[in-house]
Amino acid sequence: MAGIKDVAAEAGLSVATVSRVLNGHPSVSEDARRRVTAAVEALGYRPNAVARSLRTDQTRTLGLVISDVMNPYFTELARSVEEEARALGYSVIIGNADERPDLQDHHVTTLLDRRIDGLLVSPTDDGSPGMLAAARAGTPMVFVDRWIPGVDVPVVRSDGRSAVRDLVAHLHGLGHRRLAIISGPAATTTGRERVEAFRAALGAYGLPLPDAYIGQGDFQAESGRRVTEGFLELDEPPQVVFAADNLMALGALDAIRARGLRVPDDIALAAFDDIPWFVHTDPPVTAIAQPVRELGRAAVRALVDRIEGRPGSSVTLPARLVVRRSCGEPAAVGPSGGRGIDRPPSPVRRSTP
Amino acid sequence: MAGIKDVAAEAGLSVATVSRVLNGHPSVSEDARRRVTAAVEALGYRPNAVARSLRTDQTRTLGLVISDVMNPYFTELARSVEEEARALGYSVIIGNADERPDLQDHHVTTLLDRRIDGLLVSPTDDGSPGMLAAARAGTPMVFVDRWIPGVDVPVVRSDGRSAVRDLVAHLHGLGHRRLAIISGPAATTTGRERVEAFRAALGAYGLPLPDAYIGQGDFQAESGRRVTEGFLELDEPPQVVFAADNLMALGALDAIRARGLRVPDDIALAAFDDIPWFVHTDPPVTAIAQPVRELGRAAVRALVDRIEGRPGSSVTLPARLVVRRSCGEPAAVGPSGGRGIDRPPSPVRRSTP
DNA sequence: ATCCTCCGTGTAATCGATTCCACGAGGAGG
DNA sequence: CCTCCTCGTGGAATCGATTACACGGAGGAT
């Protein structure tokens, strides 16, 4: 493969001049510029990014370590991150942690070894050794979706509390009183927050959230299935299951179906994180939608700000409730007006399935 | 950040010795080994992969350019590729082409600039300039899922022909006679092959595949919707729509639902590429499943073989039909025996939804 | 005792770029 | 006419590793 020296020889100039042309440095004659361009063309020369990175100490690459690629929420996040990064002149290397702290550490270490310019992480837990080391190491970093308390790094995430309140209002309006939640891992912020938001919203209606109605999941489909089976075996099973992510909702659907029960007639289901497939499940699933694209964009911008020396601040965007049919038909189904929700929620949208 | 020189100083040895310890070179004394290890530990030293790559001319990184990350099929492929690569000591950089040849070229170029050791591609079309250049450039390369005819590169893919025959047998057995297909882009091998396999299978039953029943899609949901709307407006609409990928099936479902029609009563639906959500759609979708994990693994092994100087050969794995309810209930639903398919297909499996 | 081998180690070249510094030519100003 | 800038250019150092080669000392064979 041709190197800069070959180009210099072909153009009859020094490597310094070639480099200057390649980098758009001002003090180069028009003649030299032309000859270099011609030589580059003739040889099909492409600069070696590895050598360039070594010298300049920047790779123009961002690392993105996400908890689970197979989760459509993170897939979409990854996509939007890559898009925004590309627009800003950066590449992205994705690491899939599969909700495993050890795998997460592996990727963080590999990424740091490659001297990426900045790191975007949605941590699997409250701080694996590698993660904490990275935060201290001085590499620009931004948390997205989840974060680690006590670590001084900007966080880009969405606040689901108001959407959860809307959801509970919706459920209460439909007459449901025994509500259960399949939570995420207690070691993640989103795992804890969603339970807390749910409990708080329930409290506003004087409804309890007994321990038996809090199932410990891990954001994977299988745990949703297992927890839901547990719920269904209780003497007094819940009337509603709220899954803290879409994969666990899938598992819950599996478990309910396996029992021969029907949604929403026998039991209602709602999920955190909306995805296109929820429109076509049987029945369409009521879900809380995060502004994923905006989250990805904001995270990249915050990170690039840090990389390029600007402050780079935290961002919190609101999530919103999307009502479908998995919790029961609202009492009134008119095209507008009374939605059958007994307290006026702010940003509820009803999607026609 | 500490470099190898710092480690050498700390250990009171030369950089050469440190490097030898780090790379497990045999001729190093036990004493030196211990001192280096201690120094590395003390300084928290991590070798700079960029510098190492420059010198050794290998990055231990594979590039994976896929047509569309948002398609669960490719997401799963990416995941399995990364897993196998990691097991073999390689990292993976994923590029998402979004079915756009220009974006695909962008990623291929970037990847080549970074001097990845090998490239795994599922090409968006029959050869964009960048793609062909890469194939000629001498970088080890393997095609996965799709390939470019006439380019001498190993191909790892699955053969859906027998599964498509099973599908047509199943449909024919249910009494369907007017069958339509939403094809992929004509510029892709999978786009063409699936139509051909369908046409051939239809031919075996003396059924035609009129042009009006071949809709031009692009593997994205929106095109599935558009094409299906076209089918539904025909004077004689098809009784079955077979989508050549899962995203277009999603779009087809949208279009059918929007018309107020029901699956399978009013129209049947089947798809290429099975995904977990198909179990829970309304109704569960009959699909052709590819052995994605195996495909990913085989592709990586073939590529690494080429990289490390071994031959590296093409692999073709069979796909299989998974019957669900979107084409109608089979006549006999006994636990075993007659499945209602009028010709005995070989590897049909029925999944309990 | 001498010579030859290993063995462990260090010095320095090298990978392919970027960039500091020096240098010569040419123009402007005194 | 001399001096001083500016501009375009080239030489060479540099980034952080790997590795060919040289070298000194220990040990074995003769």
Side-chain angles (χ1 to χ4, degrees):
Chain A
M1 191 155 268
I4 198 173
K5 280 202 280 237
D6 305 300
V7 176
E10 173 82 11
L13 290 162
S14 73
V15 294
T17 303
V18 174
S19 173
R20 278 187 279 255
V21 171
L22 261 27
N23 294 292
H25 192 286
S27 112
V28 187
S29 69
E30 203 40 50
D31 173 60
R33 201 174 299 278
R34 259 194 303 275
R35 278 154 67 195
V36 169
T37 314
V40 165
E41 193 69 26
L43 272 53
Y45 168 77
R46 295 250 74 208
N48 183 328
V50 175
R52 187 203 295 263
S53 293
L54 175 59
R55 183 59 232 253
T56 60
D57 198 36
Q58 56 161 346
T59 49
R60 294 208 71 84
T61 300
L62 270 27
L64 170 65
V65 179
I66 51 182
S67 333
D68 182 6
V69 251
M70 298 294 283
N71 183 326
Y73 167 76
F74 285 113
T75 312
E76 194 175 346
L77 184 68
R79 183 195 149 120
S80 103
V81 162
E82 197 275 337
E83 264 174 24
E84 183 69 9
R86 180 152 36 80
L88 265 39
Y90 286 82
S91 297
V92 176
I93 304 186
I94 302 171
N96 175 29
D98 238 341
E99 302 288 0
R100 284 167 43 195
D102 62 318
L103 239 188
Q104 169 182 269
D105 274 10
H106 166 86
H107 284 120
V108 169
T109 314
T110 310
L111 257 10
L112 256 27
D113 286 354
R114 283 165 188 272
R115 300 303 193 263
I116 47 150
D117 295 340
L119 196 55
L120 234 36
V121 190
S122 133
T124 55
D125 65 2
D126 277 338
S128 50
M131 196 72 256
L132 297 173
R136 258 182 276 104
T139 308
M141 206 163 134
V142 166
F143 287 137
V144 55
D145 184 53
R146 312 177 184 175
W147 82 98
I148 302 181
V151 175
D152 183 29
V153 161
V155 182
V156 174
R157 64 191 194 97
S158 80
D159 181 353
R161 279 175 305 181
S162 108
V164 168
R165 276 196 299 272
D166 291 343
L167 172 66
V168 170
H170 170 62
L171 295 168
H172 188 265
L174 290 166
H176 299 304
R177 293 297 179 269
R178 297 195 310 278
L179 320 189
I181 184 169
I182 310 176
S183 88
T188 62
T189 48
T190 47
R192 292 187 300 262
E193 280 174 352
R194 291 170 191 179
V195 175
E196 282 323 305
F198 195 56
R199 189 197 306 278
L202 253 35
Y205 286 86
L207 297 175
L209 182 57
D211 284 350
Y213 282 4
I214 305 180
Q216 191 55 250
D218 61 6
F219 285 143
Q220 308 270 18
E222 182 47 39
S223 72
R225 182 195 323 259
R226 181 171 35 75
V227 168
T228 305
E229 277 163 5
F231 286 156
L232 296 176
E233 273 166 18
L234 291 175
D235 287 339
E236 197 167 46
Q239 298 165 303
V240 180
V241 172
F242 175 39
D245 88 338
N246 59 52
L247 255 24
M248 295 193 300
L250 178 66
L253 224 35
D254 273 344
I256 295 169
R257 198 71 57 96
R259 278 267 177 146
L261 299 176
R262 286 168 45 198
V263 178
D265 311 81
D266 298 313
I267 189 164
L269 180 70
F272 212 104
D273 290 339
D274 192 22
I275 56 170
W277 302 101
F278 277 166
V279 177
H280 294 290
T281 47
D282 175 28
V285 175
T286 292
I288 290 175
Q290 296 191 48
V292 195
R293 308 289 291 266
E294 288 71 22
L295 247 25
R297 276 211 290 277
V300 170
R301 279 199 294 260
L303 183 56
V304 170
D305 277 348
R306 297 216 105 187
I307 292 173
E308 298 178 354
R310 295 180 295 272
S313 53
S314 294
V315 175
T316 305
L317 268 24
R320 58 170 230 280
L321 176 66
V322 179
V323 174
R324 297 202 183 88
R325 293 206 316 272
S326 64
C327 300
E329 281 301 337
V333 200
S336 73
R339 265 193 229 72
I341 298 183
D342 54 353
R343 217 175 48 173
S346 8
V348 176
R349 287 231 297 246
R350 187 168 212 291
S351 88
T352 28
Chain B
M1 192 156 266
I4 197 173
K5 280 201 281 237
D6 304 302
V7 176
E10 173 83 11
L13 290 162
S14 75
V15 294
T17 304
V18 174
S19 173
R20 277 187 278 254
V21 172
L22 261 28
N23 293 293
H25 192 286
S27 108
V28 186
S29 69
E30 202 41 51
D31 173 59
R33 201 174 300 278
R34 258 195 304 274
R35 278 154 64 195
V36 168
T37 314
V40 165
E41 193 69 28
L43 273 53
Y45 168 78
R46 295 250 74 210
N48 183 328
V50 175
R52 185 202 298 261
S53 293
L54 175 60
R55 183 59 232 251
T56 61
D57 199 37
Q58 56 161 348
T59 50
R60 294 207 71 84
T61 300
L62 270 26
L64 170 64
V65 179
I66 51 181
S67 333
D68 182 8
V69 249
M70 299 295 283
N71 184 327
Y73 167 76
F74 285 112
T75 311
E76 194 175 346
L77 184 68
R79 183 196 149 118
S80 104
V81 162
E82 195 274 339
E83 263 174 25
E84 183 69 10
R86 180 152 36 81
L88 265 40
Y90 286 82
S91 297
V92 177
I93 304 186
I94 302 172
N96 174 30
D98 238 341
E99 302 288 0
R100 282 167 45 193
D102 62 317
L103 238 188
Q104 168 182 268
D105 275 10
H106 165 86
H107 283 120
V108 169
T109 313
T110 309
L111 257 11
L112 257 27
D113 286 353
R114 283 166 189 272
R115 299 304 192 264
I116 46 149
D117 294 341
L119 196 56
L120 235 35
V121 190
S122 136
T124 54
D125 65 2
D126 276 341
S128 51
M131 196 71 256
L132 298 173
R136 258 182 277 105
T139 308
M141 205 163 132
V142 167
F143 288 138
V144 56
D145 184 53
R146 312 178 183 173
W147 81 97
I148 302 180
V151 175
D152 183 29
V153 161
V155 182
V156 173
R157 63 190 195 98
S158 81
D159 181 353
R161 279 174 306 180
S162 110
V164 168
R165 276 195 300 272
D166 291 344
L167 172 65
V168 170
H170 170 62
L171 295 168
H172 188 265
L174 291 166
H176 299 304
R177 293 298 178 269
R178 298 195 308 278
L179 320 189
I181 184 169
I182 311 176
S183 88
T188 62
T189 48
T190 47
R192 293 186 301 263
E193 278 173 351
R194 290 172 191 178
V195 175
E196 283 322 306
F198 195 55
R199 189 197 306 278
L202 253 34
Y205 286 87
L207 298 175
L209 181 58
D211 284 350
Y213 283 3
I214 305 180
Q216 191 54 249
D218 61 4
F219 285 143
Q220 308 271 18
E222 182 46 38
S223 72
R225 182 197 321 259
R226 182 173 33 77
V227 168
T228 305
E229 277 164 6
F231 285 156
L232 296 177
E233 273 165 18
L234 291 174
D235 288 339
E236 199 169 42
Q239 298 164 302
V240 179
V241 172
F242 174 38
D245 88 337
N246 58 53
L247 257 21
M248 297 193 299
L250 178 65
L253 224 34
D254 273 345
I256 294 168
R257 199 70 58 96
R259 277 265 178 149
L261 298 176
R262 286 169 46 198
V263 178
D265 311 81
D266 299 313
I267 189 163
L269 180 70
F272 212 103
D273 291 340
D274 193 22
I275 56 171
W277 303 101
F278 277 166
V279 176
H280 294 291
T281 47
D282 175 27
V285 175
T286 292
I288 291 176
Q290 296 191 49
V292 195
R293 308 289 292 264
E294 288 72 21
L295 248 25
R297 276 211 288 277
V300 170
R301 280 198 294 259
L303 183 57
V304 170
D305 278 348
R306 297 216 104 188
I307 292 173
E308 297 177 355
R310 296 181 296 272
S313 54
S314 293
V315 175
T316 304
L317 268 22
R320 61 172 227 280
L321 177 66
V322 179
V323 174
R324 296 201 182 89
R325 293 206 315 272
S326 63
C327 301
E329 279 301 337
V333 200
S336 74
R339 262 194 231 73
I341 297 184
D342 52 353
R343 217 176 47 175
S346 5
V348 176
R349 286 230 299 244
R350 187 166 212 289
S351 86
T352 28

